[in-house]
Amino acid sequence: MKILLIGAGTVGQGLLEILRDKAADLREKYHFQPVIVGIATRSRGTLHHPQGLDPAALLTALAQGDFTAYPETSGLERTHDVLTLIRTCGAEVMVEATHTNLDTAQPALDYCHAALDAGQHIVLANKGPIALAYHELREKAGQMGKQVRFEGTVMAGTPSLMLAMEALAGCTIHEARGILNGTTNYILTQMAQGMDYAQALAQAQALGYAEADPTADVGGWDAAGKVLILAAALYNQKMRLSDLSVTGITDITAADVAAAQAAGECYKLIAKITPTGGSVAPQRLPMTDPLAIVSGATNAITFNTDLMGDITLVGAGAGRLQTGFALLADLLAIQRQDRKP
Ligand code: HSE
């Protein structure tokens, strides 16, 4: 499978690490042989090699800052801009792992259109294009006979979307309700143990959970982006951020957290999606709620269904290997689909 990787930050490097470390296993168990024909970054350059780039050498070069240290080989091209690379690299799949922009989805949205126009499947960890433009991307992909996959946009590699869209196909999902932002759950958990808000946020940033601009996390907008993605994926709803009621955790005080604890409850930032709408807001939950015991940066989602009742999935919602795995899971799913007779 020829792959073009756009973005070599935490998530892109997570995928490269997995491809470096599990190459033999992936080949033997799944007949999966990825060839990274191109990689593009905003500030660290681009590389293209039709015979493939070496994940280990890419990671070594990135550890030194940029691609300058990537070994010179015959056929290696270093000068393409991103759109030229997408159009000319010959990839079968574009993996989009640049920073999320929930205002315009750019520049990732242009990359997605260019990749689909070039006949590539697209796999995203970037939430922007799916939250803001899922329907147009899916329509174009359908016309091109290609797939749009985005497991990593909600709960990283914890398979929330595959569970809802594939394993639960045939069930009606009345409602999805979850903890979809790791940063805020980490902060609320630490506050319940006595840490102050600013210190807990600083820790979440240091641990790599928070977005580049953490106001998206604490203001509830990162979770709201995931609500839009779930609304589109589960209910084919074309909602905008302005359609949602969104409240973050910035007004929750240490005294609020302590009062909840004294009443045997806890605060969680709850994202909710139904066929008719969505919301994000802090809520006090009784400890009998399965979401109440989900602590730290862990995420969880409860699907309320007609045939199966409630199903709750708990797992990582962010992280280098955890989100890198989501990309791998989507690549393997594309391979399974493409191989169907
Ligand atoms: N900033 C996000 C979080 C990362 O804290 O959950 C995953 O989308």
Side-chain angles (χ1 to χ4, degrees):
M1 179 184 282
K2 291 183 183 170
I3 296 167
L4 169 62
L5 175 59
I6 312 284
T10 307
V11 174
Q13 290 188 41
L15 176 65
L16 290 173
E17 272 182 46
I18 294 170
L19 298 184
R20 178 193 64 192
D21 298 341
K22 295 184 71 101
D25 201 39
L26 293 169
R27 190 174 53 244
E28 280 158 28
K29 280 197 190 147
Y30 309 102
H31 307 290
F32 181 63
Q33 289 182 262
V35 179
I36 300 166
V37 292
I39 186 164
T41 65
R42 193 174 36 185
S43 56
R44 291 181 281 184
T46 65
L47 293 176
H48 171 222
H49 198 302
Q51 261 69 58
L53 301 159
D54 176 33
L58 289 170
L59 287 163
T60 304
L62 286 166
Q64 293 173 44
D66 60 25
F67 293 134
T68 312
Y70 190 85
E72 206 53 58
T73 50
S74 167
L76 183 71
E77 178 68 64
R78 295 178 185 268
T79 57
H80 291 312
D81 65 87
V82 181
L83 285 171
T84 305
L85 187 64
I86 293 170
R87 291 178 186 130
T88 60
C89 70
E92 298 162 71
V93 185
M94 182 192 78
V95 173
E96 221 301 335
T98 63
H99 287 306
T100 293
N101 175 336
L102 284 176
D103 294 323
T104 65
Q106 295 293 13
L109 184 54
D110 285 346
Y111 300 158
C112 290
H113 278 293
L116 290 170
D117 287 336
Q120 296 161 15
H121 301 287
I122 57 175
V123 167
L124 295 99
N126 186 330
K127 290 161 275 211
I130 303 298
L132 303 191
Y134 174 64
H135 292 83
E136 69 185 55
L137 291 174
R138 199 183 57 171
E139 192 181 329
K140 183 178 272 193
Q143 286 161 4
M144 304 294 291
K146 299 295 160 190
Q147 295 184 52
V148 180
R149 300 200 68 102
F150 46 98
E151 186 63 65
T153 60
V154 179
M155 291 178 71
T158 305
S160 58
L161 295 170
M162 289 197 199
L163 173 61
M165 298 171 79
E166 296 173 23
L168 289 177
C171 275
T172 298
I173 298 175
H174 298 305
E175 179 191 273
R177 182 176 156 270
I179 296 168
L180 301 183
N181 180 267
T183 300
T184 46
N185 204 47
Y186 182 84
I187 293 170
L188 292 172
T189 304
Q190 295 298 82
M191 284 173 76
Q193 288 165 12
M195 191 180 282
D196 75 41
Y197 174 91
Q199 196 186 354
L201 172 59
Q203 276 192 0
Q205 287 178 290
L207 289 165
Y209 305 135
E211 295 298 295
D213 175 0
T215 51
D217 295 295
V218 296
W221 299 107
D222 174 75
K226 292 163 184 166
V227 167
L228 295 186
I229 292 169
L230 284 162
L234 302 186
Y235 302 125
N236 202 24
Q237 285 286 339
K238 212 184 235 179
M239 284 193 239
R240 288 168 302 186
L241 286 174
S242 55
D243 297 325
L244 306 178
S245 160
V246 179
T247 309
I249 63 161
T250 45
D251 290 338
I252 304 282
T253 63
D256 294 330
V257 171
Q261 275 186 306
E265 295 182 345
C266 68
Y267 265 102
K268 295 290 176 194
L269 185 67
I270 298 297
K272 198 168 129 181
I273 310 98
T274 68
T276 53
S279 61
V280 176
Q283 285 178 13
R284 272 171 66 158
L285 302 184
M287 297 314 286
T288 48
D289 188 315
L291 299 181
I293 53 166
V294 176
S295 63
T298 304
N299 282 194
I301 193 162
T302 299
F303 295 108
N304 177 254
T305 74
D306 58 348
L307 302 179
M308 291 294 298
D310 280 358
I311 296 182
T312 299
L313 178 70
V314 180
R320 181 185 182 92
L321 291 179
Q322 294 85 345
T323 315
F325 167 68
L327 298 171
L328 173 65
D330 280 342
L331 293 171
L332 290 171
I334 286 173
Q335 173 173 276
R336 283 197 297 276
Q337 185 70 27
D338 271 2
R339 281 194 178 168
K340 275 193 186 151

